[in-house]
Amino acid sequence: MNIKRFARLRISMLVVTAAAGALLGGGTAVVPSVADAAPPIMRAEATRITLQGAVNVRDIGGYATYTGDPTKSGKVIRADALGKLTDADVQKLGTLGIKTVIDFRTQAEVGAQGADRVPAGATAVARPISDAGMYLKMVQAIGSKDPAVQQAALGDGKAEQMMRDTYLSFLSADSMAKFGQTIKDIAASNGATLYHCTAGKDRTGWMTYVMLRAAGVPESVARQDYLLSNQYRAAADAAQRAQLKQAGIMQNPDLLIPLQVVSDEYLNTAVDQMNQQFGDFGNFLTKGLGLDAATIVKLHRTLVG
């Protein structure tokens, strides 16, 4: 082993040891200062998986951690719903070594959108996480076809409040247990895991933000990954609004925009609630998500090495 490789391995061990020690003690991990560590990087297009039946699918490999080592490709894929995948899409996913597909959608969402199309050899896991009723409220408002009803339900900041309520619900006991179990599953997996919700941006975005931070990716980089959904979903969401207006279903489809996007404000709603309930991120991982130090170390080994 050459000197550079040895040094990087030792740095990585120091970071994981520091994180584990802090978690066991209930405090915040202190990452050792490394003068020659590579700065955090962002990869956008390089990690996207282009499909015809889903628009927000990407491998989370390629993000540098505090050690400078990147997260591995081929371990975790985040996505939107898989019910509209084409045969070619399913075949493409089948080449990625996916062993587990975890569906965060509620029963109402699955009933309306249809079941996932899962690649051969992958195990489908239903793990519904509440969206605080946001999906049903949106569908009811659209289905009314009444501009006044739609304005009353979604206008004047109501859509934004629905989103804030959704993000607050991520800190409920049931939601935290399911997010925590997903991290445990990924830490223990020797194959690729795909998880998704409906749009692949809120429950999926929070899950990815938390997991990347737990693996040692800087908060600012994890946040940028979360915000990428706006880039990947923009065209499909604009087309949906145009279709609703053309069909005479919505006079003002722009009422949907706050429900279609992600934002720092939405993410901060969950982060602020997390800090209020648990004090810091380390306590959230252990007391909120139920992760022990051994699981955090396993996660780092699985996602980083």
Side-chain angles (χ1 to χ4, degrees), residues 43-290:
R43 299 189 189 276
E45 295 300 330
T47 63
R48 189 176 190 182
I49 299 169
T50 303
L51 302 175
Q52 298 175 57
V55 300
N56 196 10
V57 185
R58 46 198 145 119
D59 188 311
I60 68 167
Y63 292 131
T65 62
Y66 283 109
T67 67
D69 298 303
T71 52
K72 298 176 185 176
S73 298
K75 292 296 182 181
V76 174
I77 297 168
R78 52 172 295 175
D80 43 345
L82 307 181
K84 295 181 180 179
L85 296 186
T86 65
D87 290 345
D89 291 339
V90 176
Q91 278 191 327
K92 186 171 185 176
L93 289 181
T95 67
L96 302 180
I98 297 169
K99 290 197 171 182
T100 307
V101 174
I102 302 173
D103 187 351
F104 294 148
R105 294 177 299 166
T106 63
Q107 186 175 358
E109 291 170 284
V110 175
Q113 301 162 7
D116 285 339
R117 297 198 66 193
V118 177
T123 300
V125 176
R127 188 167 290 160
I129 294 177
S130 173
D131 65 352
M134 185 269 289
Y135 180 78
L136 284 176
K137 292 174 185 175
M138 178 186 69
V139 169
Q140 288 167 358
I142 294 172
S144 73
K145 301 182 181 181
D146 185 330
V149 171
Q150 292 166 352
Q151 175 65 33
L154 303 175
D156 303 316
K158 292 186 178 69
E160 288 88 344
Q161 186 57 52
M162 286 165 59
M163 292 302 295
R164 287 191 289 270
D165 290 342
T166 296
Y167 278 71
L168 288 173
S169 75
F170 297 163
L171 279 297
S172 71
D174 183 71
S175 294
M176 288 190 293
K178 290 171 178 175
F179 286 129
Q181 185 59 54
T182 301
I183 290 180
K184 293 173 186 176
D185 291 347
I186 289 169
S189 177
N190 59 2
T193 299
L194 182 152
Y195 54 77
H196 73 90
C197 49
T198 289
K201 67 184 185 72
D202 301 311
R203 286 159 291 188
T204 297
W206 175 248
M207 173 77 250
T208 308
Y209 170 82
V210 169
M211 184 170 57
L212 287 175
R213 288 189 63 185
V217 173
E219 194 277 344
S220 61
V221 177
R223 182 174 290 262
Q224 289 177 66
D225 175 84
Y226 163 82
L227 292 171
L228 273 176
S229 287
N230 287 337
Q231 175 182 324
Y232 293 161
R233 292 208 56 85
D237 289 341
Q240 181 188 45
R241 295 194 302 274
Q243 290 165 5
L244 289 170
K245 186 166 187 175
Q246 185 175 9
I249 296 173
M250 293 191 78
Q251 188 179 90
N252 180 18
D254 285 355
L255 288 169
L256 295 176
I257 291 176
L259 304 179
Q260 292 179 318
V261 301
V262 292
S263 72
D264 284 310
E265 179 192 357
Y266 298 161
L267 182 59
N268 288 341
T269 298
V271 171
D272 291 346
Q273 183 65 25
M274 174 189 75
N275 290 331
Q276 181 179 333
Q277 286 182 225
F278 299 101
D280 59 39
F281 187 66
N283 281 331
F284 168 65
L285 292 179
T286 55
K287 298 178 182 178
L289 300 186

